[in-house]
Amino acid sequence: AEQVARDLTWTAESAASSETLFQVPPDSVSSGKPHTGAWPGAAQLPLDCLKPAGVENVFVLGGCAGVSREAAAQLVRPVNLMAVGARVGKAAAEQAAGMAAPLNVSALVHRGEGLVAGEVREAGPVSPERAGNRSVPASESALPVWGEYDVVVVGGGTAGAPASIAAGRQGAKTLLLEFLHELGGVGTAGLITKYYHGNRVGFTSEVDKGVAALAGGADTRTSSGGWSPEIKSEWYRRELRKAGVDIWFSAMGHGAVVENGRVTGVVVVTPMGRAVVRAKVVVDATGNADIATAAGAACRYTDGTEVSVQGAGLPPRDLGARYVNTDYLFVDDNDVMDIWRAFVTAREKYRGTYDLGQLVDTRERRQIVGDYTLTPMDIFLKRTFPDTVVISRSNFDSHGYTIHPIFMLRAPHREDLDAHVPYRCLLPRGLDGILVTGLGVSAHRDSIPIIRMQPDVQNQGYAAGVAAATVAKKGIATRDLDLKALQAHLVEIGNLPQTVLTNADSFPLPRARFVEAVAKVVNGYEDLEVLLTDVEAAKPLLREQLARSTGFSNRLVYAHVLGMLGDPAGAQILRDVVKQSPWDEGWGFRGGGQFGMSMSRLDSYIIALARTRDQAALPVLIEKAAALTAAHDFSHFRAIALALESFRDEAAARTLASLLQSPGVSGHALTSLEASLGSQQSRQSEDVRRGRELAELDLARALYRCGDHEGLGEKTLRQFALNLQGHHARHAQAVLRAGKTGGSN
């Protein structure tokens, strides 16, 4: 019914559209004291008519209230609903104030025919630390099955809408679940309505031409104005309808049904209740690997190592505005409290705007551990694979700082690079019957900027949809797919070049490349990526060159690379350089527009020296740390924290405690909504604020792992564990769980 209504009402002139159908419902709840007459006015409507008969402590406020249908037609008018709602809120608060806390609460359960087989697995949106370990007991119950499909796609965003179209076009009975009322993800609901980079071929080219035709305007591939979010969302919806795909808006995938290691269904939560939809193949296009995670897939996300995550934004939305790209937040997509914080603070930040974007624009989310993990070395060395399904194109627009050793030694590239993404990156290790696409694919987090451009994610989603439909139709395992047939189709529509059909894996590299790279690396760290493809093979060659070299600059490069790889052969060289060098210009945290190194050269030497675990380095590092003040940049604090926590030393703990107690270094945890609202500033100030928060958190973690000093590290971490910013809380909680003698968790 909703799709028919949209078919009848959509217009290209629309600047915004309702999220729900408007109607006067024909039915009403049974009330003990129904109102049967005409509309008396919002101030005179008796509130008892809103109380369902036989149910305590509930008001029904809306068109289904216990009033005549004549009165209901007036009640559902927004101004009247607002006025009655204010009265209901006051009455409910007064009623609650006079009631004792409920005891022995248990959940109502669904009875009747449910799942025949399979294990239902769900993942909650609030961590135990957030919930305070509170729970309501529920006995075992059945879940109704609302449908059976060949392919179920969870998420109708940048990857999910294309995946659903592709599956439907292949003849698979397909269902698309989308919790918003808009298709297209960050390119529509997120208001990033221009391409930045990306390989704009194949299906993406079809999307661009189709959106332009629906708009009656210029080709969006060359138009600097981008596209209308309303029009692109509608183009997706129309193509889905043409392909015979069922669309359930306001429906959220919340879990998976797993049978013998194969995903056979999705748990769906809707305004009408919670149920299961059976599927031969599931495409997890949540962008956050939500369904794969619930099914038991191993994932990578913020843990006890570092809070390294790309910056996010929630844009303001004014009528007619097409493109609003922001980066002023960190938001954990797994944490409903953090998402709530983002919306409330954005409303305050952009007070006076028509609305907000309906999707938090996070650039990095939870990633699966797949059958293969794409690395920065794969990208730099143009690695080819026999199972490539998309070729992505971008530069290292990191929106924050990088963590891979290659980027601690050498700056990321500004120019565009192509990356072959293999099918194996879409397969969660150990699970069958599910493909993961979008930001949830298996890749090192520093590889994500190259593969997350909208044109590439659209093409990746399309490939996943074709693959899922083929697996479902043939009744095979996801790993038994005929990849050459899939590639042939992608070549035919222009997604991939003909060469992929004959490409083999270009790794491992021959030994001669390593020998050549060892000689070249002294020239501005040239060919460093070769050495990092096999660290154990590179180390003896680097040690040999270090011993053979006479020039100091060359010896320093070899010592630097070896140190970053955890080899102590050049520790003395690094120790002398760190000792003799004053603090240089560091890197202050920067989200949007960040390119190049996110640490200074001295920062890099400090981290490399610490990784050698040379005990003689500790006094040198402590001396360097003692010279820091709140005026220094974030990267210096990060380098010292990473370095000193490697030694777990009491003297290091005292130094770190002294730093934490310096004026301006501590007190940045946002543990209340009031603190979060007060933190909203200009973009530049937001970067400064984020840098200070990260510096304090890094120092507290290092202090705690060095044995702590007067409990300061633990106290600070416990404050951050309550932080409304989910990544900060997740990191602090992981460090505390591991304990002072634990690892990075």
Side-chain angles (χ1 to χ4, degrees):
E2 180 174 1
Q3 299 309 318
V4 171
R6 286 173 178 249
D7 290 341
L8 294 170
T9 59
W10 188 84
T11 170
E13 286 73 34
S14 173
S17 55
S18 172
E19 296 181 352
T20 57
L21 294 171
F22 180 84
Q23 64 167 337
V24 179
D27 304 312
S28 63
V29 298
S30 297
S31 173
K33 297 181 180 180
H35 176 78
T36 57
W39 174 245
Q44 286 74 41
L45 182 71
L47 297 186
D48 283 346
C49 71
L50 307 181
K51 298 179 179 180
V55 181
E56 296 181 0
N57 308 325
V58 172
F59 291 86
V60 174
L61 177 59
C64 291
V67 300
S68 68
R69 296 302 83 194
E70 178 187 359
Q74 295 299 316
L75 177 60
V76 295
R77 294 174 65 86
V79 172
N80 290 333
L81 272 176
M82 292 164 67
V84 177
R87 293 179 58 207
V88 168
K90 181 179 179 181
E94 291 173 350
Q95 181 176 332
M99 298 170 60
L103 300 174
N104 302 319
V105 178
S106 61
L108 294 173
V109 297
H110 176 83
R111 302 296 183 190
E113 184 177 353
L115 299 178
V116 177
E119 179 186 355
V120 173
R121 301 177 181 176
E122 296 178 275
V126 180
S127 67
E129 289 86 354
R130 286 261 199 250
N133 294 312
R134 294 171 295 174
S135 63
V136 172
S139 58
E140 185 174 342
S141 65
L143 281 176
V145 176
W146 281 359
E148 297 190 7
Y149 289 84
D150 296 327
V151 176
V152 173
V153 180
V154 185
T158 317
S164 304
I165 292 170
R169 288 178 179 178
Q170 295 299 309
K173 183 183 179 184
T174 303
L175 170 66
L176 172 60
L177 304 171
E178 171 52 50
F179 79 98
L180 294 175
H181 294 76
E182 202 168 357
L183 300 168
V186 299
T188 55
L191 295 182
I192 302 181
T193 56
K194 292 182 188 177
Y195 293 146
Y196 175 57
H197 289 255
N199 194 10
R200 306 173 194 182
V201 296
F203 179 74
T204 281
S205 178
E206 178 191 346
V207 173
D208 295 342
K209 291 176 182 177
V211 172
L214 189 59
D219 188 331
T220 58
R221 292 176 300 171
T222 58
S223 172
S224 60
W227 54 81
S228 159
E230 294 278 321
I231 289 175
K232 187 163 187 175
S233 174
E234 176 64 12
W235 184 86
Y236 276 134
R237 195 187 71 84
R238 292 187 178 197
E239 290 303 312
L240 288 162
R241 298 274 276 159
K242 289 178 189 176
V245 176
D246 289 345
I247 310 167
W248 292 2
F249 288 112
S250 195
M252 180 177 290
H254 190 253
V257 182
V258 183
E259 300 178 37
N260 299 318
R262 185 180 180 95
V263 177
T264 59
V266 173
V267 181
V268 58
V269 179
T270 79
M272 282 70 74
R274 174 169 160 265
V276 162
V277 179
R278 288 285 198 180
K280 295 177 182 176
V281 181
V282 171
V283 177
D284 183 339
T286 62
N288 197 44
D290 287 337
I291 307 305
T293 301
C299 292
R300 302 179 186 91
Y301 205 45
T302 298
D303 54 16
T305 50
E306 283 195 83
V307 183
S308 51
V309 62
Q310 295 184 55
L314 180 58
R317 182 168 189 170
D318 287 311
L319 288 176
R322 286 191 168 196
Y323 177 80
V324 187
N325 192 348
T326 60
D327 179 349
Y328 59 94
L329 295 165
F330 295 126
V331 179
D332 181 356
D333 292 86
N334 303 312
D335 189 334
V336 69
M337 296 292 288
D338 196 11
I339 294 171
W340 162 76
R341 172 195 67 90
F343 274 90
V344 174
T345 53
R347 172 57 68 193
E348 178 67 19
K349 184 180 184 72
Y350 299 115
R351 180 183 294 186
T353 58
Y354 167 75
D355 199 359
L356 296 175
Q358 293 299 292
L359 185 70
V360 181
D361 290 326
T362 43
R363 296 171 173 84
E364 178 182 350
R365 302 174 189 163
R366 178 170 52 197
Q367 299 119 23
I368 60 168
V369 177
D371 287 1
Y372 183 74
T373 299
L374 191 72
T375 71
M377 289 77 74
D378 296 329
I379 297 170
F380 281 123
L381 292 166
K382 302 178 181 179
R383 184 174 183 177
T384 58
F385 301 93
D387 58 334
T388 294
V389 291
V390 63
I391 298 177
S392 301
R393 178 175 299 154
S394 188
N395 58 21
F396 284 102
D397 179 19
S398 60
H399 280 268
Y401 62 88
T402 49
I403 65 171
H404 195 283
I406 195 169
F407 299 133
M408 291 185 176
L409 292 162
R410 189 185 71 193
H413 284 206
R414 180 72 184 260
E415 59 269 19
D416 274 8
L417 298 169
D418 283 358
H420 287 236
V421 181
Y423 178 68
R424 287 166 290 163
C425 288
L426 280 60
L427 302 179
R429 187 182 299 170
L431 282 177
D432 191 16
I434 184 169
L435 302 173
V436 176
T437 187
L439 291 179
V441 300
S442 182
H444 187 280
R445 56 93 51 192
D446 285 347
S447 300
I448 293 295
I450 302 294
I451 67 172
R452 63 168 167 77
M453 294 297 107
Q454 290 185 55
D456 303 322
V457 175
Q458 289 167 178
N459 282 341
Q460 182 195 99
Y462 181 91
V466 175
T470 305
V471 168
K473 285 192 293 185
K474 295 192 174 184
I476 57 176
T478 48
R479 289 166 178 79
D480 291 338
L481 177 68
D482 183 347
L483 286 162
K484 291 305 170 187
L486 171 62
Q487 288 175 327
H489 171 74
L490 297 176
V491 169
E492 181 182 358
I493 69 166
N495 276 29
L496 293 174
Q498 187 82 22
T499 51
V500 300
L501 298 175
T502 55
N503 278 344
D505 194 334
S506 54
F507 280 26
L509 301 176
R511 178 178 168 79
R513 285 296 311 274
F514 284 84
V515 174
E516 181 182 359
V518 167
K520 286 184 174 181
V521 76
V522 293
N523 301 318
Y525 299 87
E526 184 181 351
D527 267 3
L528 176 63
E529 58 269 27
V530 173
L531 302 177
L532 296 187
T533 62
D534 189 339
V535 170
E536 295 309 313
K539 282 182 181 180
L541 297 174
L542 288 165
R543 286 195 295 265
E544 182 181 342
Q545 282 295 101
L546 174 62
R548 183 183 302 167
S549 298
T550 55
F552 177 76
S553 60
N554 287 0
R555 288 173 56 77
L556 178 57
V557 170
Y558 290 126
H560 191 194
V561 176
L562 281 165
M564 199 65 77
L565 301 183
D567 191 294
Q572 182 176 343
I573 297 173
L574 291 171
R575 191 169 66 241
D576 291 342
V577 168
V578 171
K579 184 176 180 63
Q580 295 165 12
S581 302
W583 278 114
D584 53 2
E585 182 179 353
W587 177 79
F589 181 86
R590 181 182 174 93
Q594 163 57 23
F595 296 94
M597 293 289 284
S598 53
M599 62 174 56
S600 73
R601 181 57 66 191
L602 180 56
D603 293 330
S604 183
Y605 289 147
I606 285 171
I607 293 171
L609 174 59
R611 290 185 176 185
T612 68
R613 299 298 177 92
D614 174 27
Q615 288 300 312
L618 184 57
V620 175
L621 296 172
I622 289 175
E623 182 181 355
K624 270 288 174 289
L628 283 178
T629 69
H632 282 92
D633 287 314
F634 160 69
S635 68
H636 293 338
F637 288 99
R638 178 188 173 215
I640 284 296
L642 290 173
L644 291 183
E645 73 179 340
S646 301
F647 291 92
R648 313 291 173 101
D649 181 87
E650 184 179 344
R654 290 194 298 270
T655 301
L656 289 163
S658 178
L659 269 177
L660 262 179
Q661 292 171 318
S662 300
V665 174
S666 296
H668 303 295
L670 301 178
T671 57
S672 69
L673 183 59
E674 290 74 19
S676 185
L677 288 170
S679 71
Q680 301 305 303
Q681 303 171 44
S682 68
R683 170 176 164 175
Q684 184 177 4
S685 297
E686 296 285 2
D687 281 346
V688 172
R689 173 185 57 79
R690 287 190 284 184
R692 288 172 177 164
E693 293 165 355
L694 291 168
E696 182 182 359
L697 189 51
D698 282 350
L699 291 173
R701 180 195 65 239
L703 171 58
Y704 183 71
R705 287 181 174 159
C706 286
D708 214 345
H709 180 74
E710 298 180 350
L712 179 60
E714 181 174 350
K715 178 183 177 181
T716 306
L717 287 171
R718 293 205 179 279
Q719 289 175 336
F720 275 98
L722 299 175
N723 202 321
L724 291 182
Q725 297 180 99
H727 288 288
H728 295 60
R730 183 182 294 274
H731 176 66
Q733 291 160 8
V735 174
L736 290 168
R737 279 197 302 269
K740 295 178 181 178
T741 59
S744 60
N745 198 28

